[in-house]
Each structure stands twice: as C-alpha cells, then as structure tokens.
Amino acid sequence: MLLSKNSALESKDNEIFEVEESIAIQSELIKTMTTMVNSKAYVNERNQMVPEARCRKQANYHVEQNNKIVDEELSDWESKFFEVDMDDLHELFMAANYLEIESLLNGVTKRVGDFIKACKNVEVIRQTFGINNDFAAQQEEEIRKLNSWNHI
Amino acid sequence: MHDPGKGHWQGCEMDSAVSSKTVDVGLVFEQDETLESIFCHVPLIHLVPVCHLSKSWNRALFSSLRHFNKPKPWLIVHSQTSRPPYTTAASSVAYDPRSNLWLRINHDPPVEYVSDLRSSNSTLLYMLSISKFSFSFDPLHLTWHQADPPLVWRTDPVVGILDRRHIVVAGGAWDFEDDPLSVEIYDLETRKWDTCESISAIFEHSAASMWLSIAANTKTLYAMEQASGITCSFDPISRIWLGPFDLRHDPNIYFSVIGISRDNLIMLGLLGNSENVKDIKIWELKGESFELFKEIGAMPKELVEKLKEEHASLSSIKISLTGDVLYIFNPEEPKELVVCEIDGRQRVSRWGSLKNSMVNDGGRVTERAVLTCADVSLGDLRKAMKFGKGSFSTVNNGILQ
C-alpha cells in the first residue's frame, strides 16, 4: 500500500509517470476515471492516447503551478511555459482538451489569442493557422483596404 | 482494475493528422467552441481582420462577441491645447474596457479648429463659434459635420443631441438684448435652426454648460442645475419644457449630475460639502416628476480618495456614460478616473479605477481633455479602417484595479 497518494499514469509510449493524486485529478478525465474505479490506495490507468511528451508537460505544469504560491511568480512562469511555437501549442491544446484540464486550456487559448493579436493582417493570420478562404471575390477588396492598418 | 470500457475511448482517437505540419493547426482550432474562447482573449481592434478569414471563423467570432465576451462602451479622451495657436489634436486616446486596453486614434485629416472643444451628454462633441457650429456624434468621432451657427449668438450654451436627428441649444446668450433663456433646435435632416419655447426662468442665472448637466434619451432632454438639483425636461416633438422638478431627495447632496443608462435617468451626487466629501452615490429616478428614486450604488471610500488626488476638496464631478458603463472623473484632477458597471438589475455591480492614458502620455499638461463615451462595435472599427478616416495604434495598457 502506498503511503502518499500517487497515481501512476501510463502514456501512449508506455512510459509511466508517478504523479500526486491531487495533481492528477486536475484533469477532469482522470478524476472521472478515479471515481469510477473507486480506488483509494493506488490507481493505474491506461492513458493510451497521449504521447509521452505531453504527459510530462502536464505533470510539470501542475507540479509547478502548485509550487508557485506567489501570484507574480506564477504569472511569470506561466508566460514562459506558454512561450512555445504553434506546433507545441497545438500539442498542448490536444492534450488539455483530451484530459479536460481547464486551467491548461485557458492558458493555451490565451496564447493563441496572443498569436492573433501579433498578426498584422488577414493574410498573416491565414498563413499562421492554415485557414482556407471561402469568401467571394468582392470580400478581397475590403481585405486589401484593411491591410493598411498598422499597430505598435 | 477493469478497463472503464471501450465506449469511453471511442471518438477520442487522434488520427495521423497529429503531425507537426502547421497547415493542420487551423483544423484543430476550427471547432466553434474553441475559437469562441480564443476570441474572448483578443481585443476588439485585433478582431477586425478575423471577420474576413473564412466563413466558419466569422461565425465563431460573432457568436463569441454575442455570448461570451461582449463589447463594452469605450471611453474616448480628446485633447485640445489650451494655449494659442489652437489646434484640435489630431489624435485621441480610447479605452476599451472589454480588454483593458488603451488605443490611440489618429484622425486623417485632422479636425479643423473652430473654437473650444466641448462634449455633451456623453455622446456629442462640438465647437461653436460666431460663424460655425461644428459637431460629431459617431462613436469614434471621426466624422465632423458643419452647420450654420444658431440665430442667437451664444458663448457657452447647453447643447444636447436627441435621437440622432435634433440638437437642442439652450441659454449661454451673450448680448444684453438676447433672451438668456432662449432655446433653438437644429434639425439634422433639414439643416435648419428653429426657435422654440425658452428654458424655465428658474435657470435665469445658470443657463450655461458650466452650471447645467445635460442628459438625453431618444425622447427627452433633461437639464439639471448641478448646484441645486433643480431639473427641467424638454420634449422635441411638442417643444415644451416641463418642470421644474427637484431631484434631490437627500439634503446632503451638494453637487449632482445626470445621465442616461439604458434609457433610464440616473443621478450621481456628491454628499457632504466640497471640503469634506462624505459619499458619492448613484440613484435611478423614475416617475412623472421623478418622485421615485432608488439608490443603485455608492462609491467605495478608497475610490473617492483617488478622485480627490492631492486636493483636499472635491467641488465638482463629471460623468460620461452609455449603456451599462459609467466613467466618473474630477475635472480638476483628470489623472485617475473611476469606472463602474451597472448590471441587468440596475445596480452597480463593479467599481474600479483607471489611469487616464492621455494625461500620463508624454506630459501633455497644456492640453485640455474632453471625454466622451460610446458603444463601439466591430462594424464601427471596420468602417473607420475601410474609409481611411482613422488609423489605430496601441498605447500602454490602462491599469484597472
């Protein structure tokens, strides 16, 4: 029997992470599963869908979050954590969505919002996010006029 | 332990699209719900290009603005030098409370100087000279209209705009021969001035924008003497003044101003005396002679102190409001503003303070600040950019506490 409540999570790549239960249940998905299996001593779940890198990031995210009590420190750390490129952000998003971790999802959506803010015009946003333009030709004229907007 | 069941895993499969190609990222964020929450974090000004990305992004954008993080009334601070040569500043700064962001609005071409810039009932900006009446009432004040001046020459009249069709000008007459209480009404469609019933004689010594506070909804214009609380109302259709009414239900009020929030008349009052302000409260007034009053909010003491700043006294107050957001400032000390929000039950639900970006920006001490408030929509921003009348740039974030 384990003295501290730890959950062992197995990732898609078959790597096992030991995470404190209080942190593991930040994920709504794991929380539900824990309740369902009704175990107190230890929980072993198959987290088959999530590749290893993400799982580690999850664990790190929560451990650090719990360690940083001071607000300023936390927000500093959080901004560094999310300072990743679109691909990593995309991975974090998939994991946060799947594991249903609200705080992580919130952090990701904020960061994606920042990407949109940083884009100078319509074309740049389309390229960054890979969006297909399905508007009619007359819209293009309006867009060209919008492209003259500049910001600091 | 048993597997919770295959049922749970279905639909969660991530297919091989999970690659590191940027081109697939758009698909991931394409879900409406995700986009809607992403847009909550993006300021309105940066959402303008998003309208044009694709049909699904456009749909998610409007849904997000409608249901999640709605646009809120902006505060716009316009500046004009208080020393000759006078030039109306070519820029103004605007505060977007939805994203706690200050923006600089550059007017192209710059606004032509006519006379002292003034604002009235929160939404109208105007300049009146002996030869011209220049005014603007669009949300961002990028469009200015020129008209002939009223028939009676006035230096400091009370001006109010009603229903986007009529502008009422009262009092402020200069010449001894003129009736100091004369009222004229300008019709924006016919572009003509008409004389109507003079304002009540009770305002004989105070019929000027320095002494009267104006508020107008679509049907009625209200004028209140700030020092006494005596109020008259004007109906633009019948062109009749009603009143006077005494709106001060509390004898401790020494200064009050009025405004319209969601079509209701509200009054903000300073209680105590100018050397010792006890309270600042807001009431909603209803009834034919405004006999029904309800206190909807009282300003927290620490914010009252912020308005006073270094001064020990608070002799007057000004407000700028529209919809459910109210901006309050001390004209002698415009560095810090107080903001409050009125909720659906017509009660003040939130108080905060805001540093005036115009004042903090490069020490513009010789400039007079004039404030207006407006509902700025995505459409207004798109129009401004489309017609090249204004360009926008960001300033440091306002600190809302």
Side-chain angles (χ1 to χ4, degrees), chain B residues 321-349:
Chain B
L321 73 157
T322 195
D324 46 12
V325 176
L326 177 68
Y327 297 95
I328 304 162
F329 54 101
N330 176 0
E332 284 170 34
E333 204 48 80
K335 267 198 285 189
E336 286 237 29
L337 299 144
V338 171
V339 192
C340 70
E341 284 182 38
I342 301 174
D343 66 18
R345 290 173 308 147
Q346 282 297 97
R347 275 187 196 285
V348 176
S349 58

PDB file of all heavy atoms in Angstrom, chain B residues 321-349:
ATOM      1  N   LEU B 321     -21.222  58.410 -19.835  1.00  0.00           N
ATOM      2  CA  LEU B 321     -21.754  57.049 -19.757  1.00  0.00           C
ATOM      3  C   LEU B 321     -22.592  56.701 -20.966  1.00  0.00           C
ATOM      4  O   LEU B 321     -23.112  57.556 -21.669  1.00  0.00           O
ATOM      5  CB  LEU B 321     -22.613  56.876 -18.501  1.00  0.00           C
ATOM      6  CG  LEU B 321     -23.992  57.549 -18.518  1.00  0.00           C
ATOM      7  CD1 LEU B 321     -24.944  56.873 -17.546  1.00  0.00           C
ATOM      8  CD2 LEU B 321     -23.880  59.006 -18.184  1.00  0.00           C
ATOM      9  N   THR B 322     -22.681  55.404 -21.196  1.00  0.00           N
ATOM     10  CA  THR B 322     -23.609  54.898 -22.185  1.00  0.00           C
ATOM     11  C   THR B 322     -23.844  53.428 -21.850  1.00  0.00           C
ATOM     12  O   THR B 322     -22.955  52.771 -21.293  1.00  0.00           O
ATOM     13  CB  THR B 322     -23.075  55.108 -23.625  1.00  0.00           C
ATOM     14  OG1 THR B 322     -24.140  54.923 -24.551  1.00  0.00           O
ATOM     15  CG2 THR B 322     -21.978  54.152 -23.966  1.00  0.00           C
ATOM     16  N   GLY B 323     -25.031  52.948 -22.135  1.00  0.00           N
ATOM     17  CA  GLY B 323     -25.325  51.549 -21.846  1.00  0.00           C
ATOM     18  C   GLY B 323     -25.182  51.263 -20.372  1.00  0.00           C
ATOM     19  O   GLY B 323     -25.824  51.890 -19.541  1.00  0.00           O
ATOM     20  N   ASP B 324     -24.275  50.341 -20.038  1.00  0.00           N
ATOM     21  CA  ASP B 324     -24.157  49.965 -18.634  1.00  0.00           C
ATOM     22  C   ASP B 324     -22.802  50.278 -18.024  1.00  0.00           C
ATOM     23  O   ASP B 324     -22.452  49.744 -16.979  1.00  0.00           O
ATOM     24  CB  ASP B 324     -24.482  48.466 -18.473  1.00  0.00           C
ATOM     25  CG  ASP B 324     -23.776  47.636 -19.517  1.00  0.00           C
ATOM     26  OD1 ASP B 324     -22.869  48.171 -20.208  1.00  0.00           O
ATOM     27  OD2 ASP B 324     -24.127  46.447 -19.676  1.00  0.00           O
ATOM     28  N   VAL B 325     -22.041  51.137 -18.676  1.00  0.00           N
ATOM     29  CA  VAL B 325     -20.756  51.520 -18.091  1.00  0.00           C
ATOM     30  C   VAL B 325     -20.724  53.025 -17.865  1.00  0.00           C
ATOM     31  O   VAL B 325     -21.133  53.807 -18.720  1.00  0.00           O
ATOM     32  CB  VAL B 325     -19.577  51.099 -19.009  1.00  0.00           C
ATOM     33  CG1 VAL B 325     -18.249  51.577 -18.447  1.00  0.00           C
ATOM     34  CG2 VAL B 325     -19.554  49.593 -19.169  1.00  0.00           C
ATOM     35  N   LEU B 326     -20.245  53.411 -16.699  1.00  0.00           N
ATOM     36  CA  LEU B 326     -20.228  54.813 -16.293  1.00  0.00           C
ATOM     37  C   LEU B 326     -18.803  55.202 -15.915  1.00  0.00           C
ATOM     38  O   LEU B 326     -18.175  54.526 -15.116  1.00  0.00           O
ATOM     39  CB  LEU B 326     -21.156  54.930 -15.078  1.00  0.00           C
ATOM     40  CG  LEU B 326     -21.324  56.238 -14.350  1.00  0.00           C
ATOM     41  CD1 LEU B 326     -22.028  57.218 -15.233  1.00  0.00           C
ATOM     42  CD2 LEU B 326     -22.160  56.038 -13.107  1.00  0.00           C
ATOM     43  N   TYR B 327     -18.281  56.270 -16.527  1.00  0.00           N
ATOM     44  CA  TYR B 327     -16.949  56.778 -16.200  1.00  0.00           C
ATOM     45  C   TYR B 327     -17.110  58.070 -15.415  1.00  0.00           C
ATOM     46  O   TYR B 327     -17.872  58.950 -15.816  1.00  0.00           O
ATOM     47  CB  TYR B 327     -16.159  57.057 -17.491  1.00  0.00           C
ATOM     48  CG  TYR B 327     -15.890  55.824 -18.339  1.00  0.00           C
ATOM     49  CD1 TYR B 327     -16.731  55.471 -19.392  1.00  0.00           C
ATOM     50  CD2 TYR B 327     -14.786  55.003 -18.081  1.00  0.00           C
ATOM     51  CE1 TYR B 327     -16.482  54.338 -20.163  1.00  0.00           C
ATOM     52  CE2 TYR B 327     -14.532  53.880 -18.851  1.00  0.00           C
ATOM     53  CZ  TYR B 327     -15.377  53.555 -19.887  1.00  0.00           C
ATOM     54  OH  TYR B 327     -15.129  52.437 -20.652  1.00  0.00           O
ATOM     55  N   ILE B 328     -16.414  58.161 -14.300  1.00  0.00           N
ATOM     56  CA  ILE B 328     -16.561  59.322 -13.419  1.00  0.00           C
ATOM     57  C   ILE B 328     -15.209  59.998 -13.273  1.00  0.00           C
ATOM     58  O   ILE B 328     -14.200  59.316 -13.048  1.00  0.00           O
ATOM     59  CB  ILE B 328     -17.044  58.848 -12.027  1.00  0.00           C
ATOM     60  CG1 ILE B 328     -18.344  58.038 -12.181  1.00  0.00           C
ATOM     61  CG2 ILE B 328     -17.259  60.030 -11.082  1.00  0.00           C
ATOM     62  CD1 ILE B 328     -18.680  57.171 -10.993  1.00  0.00           C
ATOM     63  N   PHE B 329     -15.155  61.334 -13.392  1.00  0.00           N
ATOM     64  CA  PHE B 329     -13.873  61.995 -13.220  1.00  0.00           C
ATOM     65  C   PHE B 329     -14.015  63.369 -12.597  1.00  0.00           C
ATOM     66  O   PHE B 329     -15.051  64.021 -12.666  1.00  0.00           O
ATOM     67  CB  PHE B 329     -13.100  62.080 -14.544  1.00  0.00           C
ATOM     68  CG  PHE B 329     -13.878  62.713 -15.660  1.00  0.00           C
ATOM     69  CD1 PHE B 329     -13.666  64.032 -16.013  1.00  0.00           C
ATOM     70  CD2 PHE B 329     -14.800  61.981 -16.379  1.00  0.00           C
ATOM     71  CE1 PHE B 329     -14.371  64.614 -17.048  1.00  0.00           C
ATOM     72  CE2 PHE B 329     -15.521  62.552 -17.417  1.00  0.00           C
ATOM     73  CZ  PHE B 329     -15.302  63.869 -17.750  1.00  0.00           C
ATOM     74  N   ASN B 330     -12.932  63.786 -11.977  1.00  0.00           N
ATOM     75  CA  ASN B 330     -12.835  65.082 -11.337  1.00  0.00           C
ATOM     76  C   ASN B 330     -12.183  66.011 -12.364  1.00  0.00           C
ATOM     77  O   ASN B 330     -11.026  65.808 -12.714  1.00  0.00           O
ATOM     78  CB  ASN B 330     -11.963  64.936 -10.082  1.00  0.00           C
ATOM     79  CG  ASN B 330     -11.699  66.262  -9.381  1.00  0.00           C
ATOM     80  OD1 ASN B 330     -12.152  67.306  -9.816  1.00  0.00           O
ATOM     81  ND2 ASN B 330     -10.948  66.190  -8.295  1.00  0.00           N
ATOM     82  N   PRO B 331     -12.897  67.023 -12.868  1.00  0.00           N
ATOM     83  CA  PRO B 331     -12.330  67.868 -13.916  1.00  0.00           C
ATOM     84  C   PRO B 331     -11.049  68.599 -13.482  1.00  0.00           C
ATOM     85  O   PRO B 331     -10.226  68.932 -14.323  1.00  0.00           O
ATOM     86  CB  PRO B 331     -13.436  68.877 -14.243  1.00  0.00           C
ATOM     87  CG  PRO B 331     -14.501  68.666 -13.252  1.00  0.00           C
ATOM     88  CD  PRO B 331     -14.273  67.393 -12.543  1.00  0.00           C
ATOM     89  N   GLU B 332     -10.876  68.766 -12.164  1.00  0.00           N
ATOM     90  CA  GLU B 332      -9.641  69.420 -11.708  1.00  0.00           C
ATOM     91  C   GLU B 332      -8.476  68.445 -11.640  1.00  0.00           C
ATOM     92  O   GLU B 332      -7.332  68.831 -11.527  1.00  0.00           O
ATOM     93  CB  GLU B 332      -9.868  70.022 -10.315  1.00  0.00           C
ATOM     94  CG  GLU B 332     -10.688  71.294 -10.368  1.00  0.00           C
ATOM     95  CD  GLU B 332     -11.115  71.733  -8.981  1.00  0.00           C
ATOM     96  OE1 GLU B 332     -10.335  71.525  -8.032  1.00  0.00           O
ATOM     97  OE2 GLU B 332     -12.220  72.261  -8.861  1.00  0.00           O
ATOM     98  N   GLU B 333      -8.768  67.191 -11.694  1.00  0.00           N
ATOM     99  CA  GLU B 333      -7.733  66.170 -11.497  1.00  0.00           C
ATOM    100  C   GLU B 333      -8.035  64.969 -12.394  1.00  0.00           C
ATOM    101  O   GLU B 333      -8.404  63.899 -11.886  1.00  0.00           O
ATOM    102  CB  GLU B 333      -7.758  65.787 -10.002  1.00  0.00           C
ATOM    103  CG  GLU B 333      -6.484  65.221  -9.450  1.00  0.00           C
ATOM    104  CD  GLU B 333      -5.231  65.984  -9.783  1.00  0.00           C
ATOM    105  OE1 GLU B 333      -4.967  67.003  -9.119  1.00  0.00           O
ATOM    106  OE2 GLU B 333      -4.517  65.555 -10.701  1.00  0.00           O
ATOM    107  N   PRO B 334      -7.893  65.130 -13.712  1.00  0.00           N
ATOM    108  CA  PRO B 334      -8.322  64.040 -14.600  1.00  0.00           C
ATOM    109  C   PRO B 334      -7.348  62.870 -14.715  1.00  0.00           C
ATOM    110  O   PRO B 334      -7.501  62.023 -15.575  1.00  0.00           O
ATOM    111  CB  PRO B 334      -8.468  64.745 -15.955  1.00  0.00           C
ATOM    112  CG  PRO B 334      -7.527  65.894 -15.900  1.00  0.00           C
ATOM    113  CD  PRO B 334      -7.375  66.288 -14.471  1.00  0.00           C
ATOM    114  N   LYS B 335      -6.357  62.810 -13.827  1.00  0.00           N
ATOM    115  CA  LYS B 335      -5.369  61.725 -13.932  1.00  0.00           C
ATOM    116  C   LYS B 335      -5.968  60.357 -13.675  1.00  0.00           C
ATOM    117  O   LYS B 335      -5.608  59.369 -14.293  1.00  0.00           O
ATOM    118  CB  LYS B 335      -4.241  61.955 -12.928  1.00  0.00           C
ATOM    119  CG  LYS B 335      -3.078  62.726 -13.528  1.00  0.00           C
ATOM    120  CD  LYS B 335      -1.830  62.583 -12.701  1.00  0.00           C
ATOM    121  CE  LYS B 335      -1.921  63.414 -11.443  1.00  0.00           C
ATOM    122  NZ  LYS B 335      -0.670  63.494 -10.687  1.00  0.00           N
ATOM    123  N   GLU B 336      -6.863  60.298 -12.680  1.00  0.00           N
ATOM    124  CA  GLU B 336      -7.469  58.994 -12.378  1.00  0.00           C
ATOM    125  C   GLU B 336      -8.964  59.081 -12.550  1.00  0.00           C
ATOM    126  O   GLU B 336      -9.601  60.034 -12.113  1.00  0.00           O
ATOM    127  CB  GLU B 336      -7.171  58.591 -10.927  1.00  0.00           C
ATOM    128  CG  GLU B 336      -5.744  58.168 -10.761  1.00  0.00           C
ATOM    129  CD  GLU B 336      -5.565  56.767 -10.205  1.00  0.00           C
ATOM    130  OE1 GLU B 336      -6.428  55.886 -10.405  1.00  0.00           O
ATOM    131  OE2 GLU B 336      -4.534  56.566  -9.560  1.00  0.00           O
ATOM    132  N   LEU B 337      -9.490  58.061 -13.187  1.00  0.00           N
ATOM    133  CA  LEU B 337     -10.929  58.003 -13.407  1.00  0.00           C
ATOM    134  C   LEU B 337     -11.487  56.852 -12.595  1.00  0.00           C
ATOM    135  O   LEU B 337     -10.771  55.900 -12.302  1.00  0.00           O
ATOM    136  CB  LEU B 337     -11.207  57.712 -14.882  1.00  0.00           C
ATOM    137  CG  LEU B 337     -10.695  58.734 -15.879  1.00  0.00           C
ATOM    138  CD1 LEU B 337     -10.217  58.058 -17.138  1.00  0.00           C
ATOM    139  CD2 LEU B 337     -11.787  59.703 -16.205  1.00  0.00           C
ATOM    140  N   VAL B 338     -12.767  56.943 -12.315  1.00  0.00           N
ATOM    141  CA  VAL B 338     -13.423  55.810 -11.660  1.00  0.00           C
ATOM    142  C   VAL B 338     -14.414  55.233 -12.667  1.00  0.00           C
ATOM    143  O   VAL B 338     -15.082  55.978 -13.395  1.00  0.00           O
ATOM    144  CB  VAL B 338     -14.144  56.252 -10.368  1.00  0.00           C
ATOM    145  CG1 VAL B 338     -14.999  55.138  -9.815  1.00  0.00           C
ATOM    146  CG2 VAL B 338     -13.120  56.690  -9.328  1.00  0.00           C
ATOM    147  N   VAL B 339     -14.450  53.929 -12.724  1.00  0.00           N
ATOM    148  CA  VAL B 339     -15.361  53.266 -13.662  1.00  0.00           C
ATOM    149  C   VAL B 339     -16.308  52.391 -12.871  1.00  0.00           C
ATOM    150  O   VAL B 339     -15.887  51.752 -11.908  1.00  0.00           O
ATOM    151  CB  VAL B 339     -14.576  52.306 -14.593  1.00  0.00           C
ATOM    152  CG1 VAL B 339     -15.436  51.858 -15.734  1.00  0.00           C
ATOM    153  CG2 VAL B 339     -13.330  52.960 -15.088  1.00  0.00           C
ATOM    154  N   CYS B 340     -17.565  52.353 -13.277  1.00  0.00           N
ATOM    155  CA  CYS B 340     -18.443  51.368 -12.658  1.00  0.00           C
ATOM    156  C   CYS B 340     -19.365  50.761 -13.709  1.00  0.00           C
ATOM    157  O   CYS B 340     -19.603  51.350 -14.754  1.00  0.00           O
ATOM    158  CB  CYS B 340     -19.207  51.946 -11.479  1.00  0.00           C
ATOM    159  SG  CYS B 340     -20.464  53.130 -11.922  1.00  0.00           S
ATOM    160  N   GLU B 341     -19.837  49.554 -13.406  1.00  0.00           N
ATOM    161  CA  GLU B 341     -20.727  48.858 -14.323  1.00  0.00           C
ATOM    162  C   GLU B 341     -22.066  48.640 -13.651  1.00  0.00           C
ATOM    163  O   GLU B 341     -22.126  48.269 -12.474  1.00  0.00           O
ATOM    164  CB  GLU B 341     -20.138  47.499 -14.704  1.00  0.00           C
ATOM    165  CG  GLU B 341     -19.021  47.616 -15.692  1.00  0.00           C
ATOM    166  CD  GLU B 341     -18.460  46.270 -16.118  1.00  0.00           C
ATOM    167  OE1 GLU B 341     -19.242  45.315 -16.272  1.00  0.00           O
ATOM    168  OE2 GLU B 341     -17.230  46.201 -16.280  1.00  0.00           O
ATOM    169  N   ILE B 342     -23.112  48.853 -14.435  1.00  0.00           N
ATOM    170  CA  ILE B 342     -24.465  48.654 -13.907  1.00  0.00           C
ATOM    171  C   ILE B 342     -24.983  47.347 -14.481  1.00  0.00           C
ATOM    172  O   ILE B 342     -24.950  47.142 -15.699  1.00  0.00           O
ATOM    173  CB  ILE B 342     -25.373  49.837 -14.311  1.00  0.00           C
ATOM    174  CG1 ILE B 342     -24.778  51.146 -13.763  1.00  0.00           C
ATOM    175  CG2 ILE B 342     -26.799  49.633 -13.819  1.00  0.00           C
ATOM    176  CD1 ILE B 342     -25.483  52.398 -14.210  1.00  0.00           C
ATOM    177  N   ASP B 343     -25.438  46.466 -13.607  1.00  0.00           N
ATOM    178  CA  ASP B 343     -25.868  45.155 -14.101  1.00  0.00           C
ATOM    179  C   ASP B 343     -27.317  45.170 -14.580  1.00  0.00           C
ATOM    180  O   ASP B 343     -27.984  46.199 -14.575  1.00  0.00           O
ATOM    181  CB  ASP B 343     -25.652  44.077 -13.023  1.00  0.00           C
ATOM    182  CG  ASP B 343     -26.548  44.278 -11.817  1.00  0.00           C
ATOM    183  OD1 ASP B 343     -27.556  45.007 -11.911  1.00  0.00           O
ATOM    184  OD2 ASP B 343     -26.244  43.692 -10.767  1.00  0.00           O
ATOM    185  N   GLY B 344     -27.790  43.983 -14.963  1.00  0.00           N
ATOM    186  CA  GLY B 344     -29.147  43.864 -15.503  1.00  0.00           C
ATOM    187  C   GLY B 344     -30.244  44.246 -14.529  1.00  0.00           C
ATOM    188  O   GLY B 344     -31.353  44.570 -14.919  1.00  0.00           O
ATOM    189  N   ARG B 345     -29.915  44.202 -13.237  1.00  0.00           N
ATOM    190  CA  ARG B 345     -30.941  44.548 -12.248  1.00  0.00           C
ATOM    191  C   ARG B 345     -30.845  46.027 -11.871  1.00  0.00           C
ATOM    192  O   ARG B 345     -31.340  46.453 -10.841  1.00  0.00           O
ATOM    193  CB  ARG B 345     -30.782  43.682 -10.994  1.00  0.00           C
ATOM    194  CG  ARG B 345     -31.141  42.222 -11.231  1.00  0.00           C
ATOM    195  CD  ARG B 345     -30.811  41.372 -10.034  1.00  0.00           C
ATOM    196  NE  ARG B 345     -29.455  41.560  -9.615  1.00  0.00           N
ATOM    197  CZ  ARG B 345     -29.047  41.498  -8.343  1.00  0.00           C
ATOM    198  NH1 ARG B 345     -29.929  41.274  -7.382  1.00  0.00           N
ATOM    199  NH2 ARG B 345     -27.793  41.667  -8.021  1.00  0.00           N
ATOM    200  N   GLN B 346     -30.133  46.788 -12.700  1.00  0.00           N
ATOM    201  CA  GLN B 346     -29.957  48.224 -12.471  1.00  0.00           C
ATOM    202  C   GLN B 346     -29.317  48.502 -11.110  1.00  0.00           C
ATOM    203  O   GLN B 346     -29.775  49.331 -10.344  1.00  0.00           O
ATOM    204  CB  GLN B 346     -31.293  49.003 -12.590  1.00  0.00           C
ATOM    205  CG  GLN B 346     -31.715  49.227 -14.031  1.00  0.00           C
ATOM    206  CD  GLN B 346     -30.748  50.086 -14.825  1.00  0.00           C
ATOM    207  OE1 GLN B 346     -29.890  49.595 -15.551  1.00  0.00           O
ATOM    208  NE2 GLN B 346     -30.851  51.386 -14.713  1.00  0.00           N
ATOM    209  N   ARG B 347     -28.265  47.790 -10.813  1.00  0.00           N
ATOM    210  CA  ARG B 347     -27.467  48.069  -9.609  1.00  0.00           C
ATOM    211  C   ARG B 347     -26.011  48.100 -10.028  1.00  0.00           C
ATOM    212  O   ARG B 347     -25.623  47.369 -10.932  1.00  0.00           O
ATOM    213  CB  ARG B 347     -27.631  46.919  -8.608  1.00  0.00           C
ATOM    214  CG  ARG B 347     -28.820  47.074  -7.758  1.00  0.00           C
ATOM    215  CD  ARG B 347     -28.910  46.048  -6.651  1.00  0.00           C
ATOM    216  NE  ARG B 347     -30.260  46.079  -6.155  1.00  0.00           N
ATOM    217  CZ  ARG B 347     -30.760  47.043  -5.379  1.00  0.00           C
ATOM    218  NH1 ARG B 347     -29.995  48.022  -4.993  1.00  0.00           N
ATOM    219  NH2 ARG B 347     -32.005  47.026  -4.970  1.00  0.00           N
ATOM    220  N   VAL B 348     -25.220  48.924  -9.346  1.00  0.00           N
ATOM    221  CA  VAL B 348     -23.798  48.970  -9.688  1.00  0.00           C
ATOM    222  C   VAL B 348     -23.163  47.678  -9.203  1.00  0.00           C
ATOM    223  O   VAL B 348     -23.215  47.346  -8.023  1.00  0.00           O
ATOM    224  CB  VAL B 348     -23.102  50.182  -9.046  1.00  0.00           C
ATOM    225  CG1 VAL B 348     -21.602  50.136  -9.343  1.00  0.00           C
ATOM    226  CG2 VAL B 348     -23.696  51.478  -9.568  1.00  0.00           C
ATOM    227  N   SER B 349     -22.590  46.927 -10.137  1.00  0.00           N
ATOM    228  CA  SER B 349     -22.061  45.618  -9.764  1.00  0.00           C
ATOM    229  C   SER B 349     -20.545  45.631  -9.625  1.00  0.00           C
ATOM    230  O   SER B 349     -19.975  44.745  -9.031  1.00  0.00           O
ATOM    231  CB  SER B 349     -22.449  44.595 -10.830  1.00  0.00           C
ATOM    232  OG  SER B 349     -21.940  45.016 -12.080  1.00  0.00           O
TER     233      SER B 349
END
